[in-house]
Amino acid sequence: MRALVAASIGLAPVLLLVLLLAVTDPAPEGETSPKPLLTTVPGPKK
């Protein structure tokens, strides 16, 4: 039981830091390309 408590105490600041970074760092502005991606599906192997 002590190990579980110690792990949760150690993990709490890390989780808080990750959530804080996720909230304060907005996603970069970007645009989608007007051109579609031209990809081909590989055919069946012979």
Side-chain angles (χ1 to χ4, degrees):
M1 190 67 177
R2 286 184 191 179
L4 186 61
V5 172
S8 63
I9 289 173
L11 194 60
V14 175
L15 217 77
L16 185 64
L17 181 64
V18 168
L19 287 174
L20 185 65
L21 287 175
V23 170
T24 58
D25 189 28
E29 296 294 325
E31 298 178 3
T32 57
S33 173
K35 295 181 181 178
L37 293 175
L38 300 175
T39 59
T40 58
V41 177
K45 293 188 175 186
K46 295 181 181 179

